[in-house]
Amino acid sequence: MSNTSNTSNTSNTSDLQALQQLAEKRRSIYALNDQLPVAKEEVVKLVEHAILHTPSSFNSQSTRIVVLFGDDHQKLWDMTEEALRGIVGDEEKFTPTKQKIDGFKAGAGTILFFEDQKVVRALQEGAPLYADKFPVWAEHTSAMHQYVIWTGLASINIGANLQHYNPVIDHKVASTWSIDADWDLTAQMVFGGIEQPAGDKEFMPVEERVKVFG
């Protein structure tokens, strides 16, 4: 009995440490290349697993995902550059944005995160008392999917960073990839081989951010 208990405790501790190490490994990696350390099918499997097993409010399963590789990935950032250039106008002022977009293009792919508003509306109709909360909870659901996938990518040594160019590119994305009109774009996750790791990160004191009672 004692040996079994000790083995179980050791296993639990090991699992926790592995999870925490992955949480620490997940960073915003901006220096990317298009050389993935795994086949792109492995990225797709990772995304599919996340869609199935990441929790959602009221079990809504409202998150929708589109994965872009190769030319489609390039097309996304070409259209983003075009849209932003039209907004900024001045070429000199646009230079930093151009450099940032070029960094995204250098990656291997982009994961587009959407929330299905048809599902959100159905929840609002079914539980009108919480109607104003369901759009917020849908954002929470999307965020959980983003974190699970981001951490999963880190586990297989793929770098990633999260961007939010919606709503600037929403219409163009929808028309280019025939996206359902009810799918609302929430984020874009660029991923690829790690050209250069993230730098040091400063942390606010835990004592200022966590309170414990009882």
Side-chain angles (χ1 to χ4, degrees):
M1 179 72 74
S2 177
N3 288 340
T4 302
S5 177
N6 288 339
T7 300
S8 176
N9 289 338
T10 300
S11 176
N12 290 341
T13 300
S14 177
D15 288 345
L16 175 59
Q17 290 175 340
L19 179 63
Q20 291 174 330
Q21 287 169 356
L22 277 179
E24 294 172 14
K25 187 175 182 180
R26 185 224 53 81
R27 296 289 307 278
S28 293
I29 308 294
Y30 295 103
L32 300 170
N33 59 52
D34 61 0
Q35 302 301 305
L36 293 174
V38 300
K40 66 180 184 180
E41 289 77 13
E42 293 302 312
V43 175
V44 174
K45 288 179 181 178
L46 186 156
V47 169
E48 291 173 341
H49 188 276
I51 277 286
L52 288 175
H53 299 288
T54 303
S56 57
S57 63
F58 285 65
N59 194 31
S60 63
Q61 302 181 51
S62 56
T63 297
R64 307 289 181 262
I65 291 178
V66 172
V67 185
L68 305 176
F69 292 101
D71 291 342
D72 285 283
H73 161 73
Q74 294 292 326
K75 187 183 298 183
L76 172 73
W77 295 109
D78 283 340
M79 68 175 62
T80 303
E81 179 180 337
E82 181 181 358
L84 294 173
R85 190 185 296 276
I87 294 171
V88 175
D90 185 277
E91 192 64 29
E92 185 175 347
K93 291 181 179 178
F94 187 70
T95 298
T97 300
K98 165 69 172 170
Q99 292 172 343
K100 184 181 293 186
I101 297 294
D102 285 345
F104 302 150
K105 289 180 183 180
T110 305
I111 300 169
L112 303 178
F113 293 86
F114 302 83
E115 283 296 303
D116 192 337
Q117 297 306 303
K118 181 168 55 183
V119 174
V120 175
R121 290 194 298 271
L123 289 168
Q124 290 175 310
E125 293 168 4
L129 182 64
Y130 303 109
D132 63 326
K133 301 298 184 184
F134 283 114
V136 177
W137 292 337
E139 293 287 344
H140 296 174
T141 296
S142 181
M144 285 191 283
H145 283 77
Q146 294 163 29
Y147 182 77
V148 168
I149 291 173
W150 199 345
T151 306
L153 291 172
S155 75
I156 52 177
N157 297 315
I158 293 177
N161 60 78
L162 192 65
Q163 302 302 319
H164 301 88
Y165 285 97
N166 40 289
V168 174
I169 61 173
D170 290 21
H171 178 73
K172 192 68 175 178
V173 166
S175 61
T176 301
W177 288 285
S178 301
I179 304 299
D180 190 301
D182 286 312
W183 290 20
D184 185 37
L185 183 63
T186 61
Q188 308 85 50
M189 184 176 291
V190 187
F191 63 90
I194 300 175
E195 189 72 24
Q196 182 177 330
D200 293 336
K201 182 177 181 179
E202 294 185 3
F203 296 92
M204 292 175 60
V206 172
E207 295 78 10
E208 296 179 7
R209 303 166 67 186
V210 178
K211 294 184 181 296
V212 179
F213 303 93

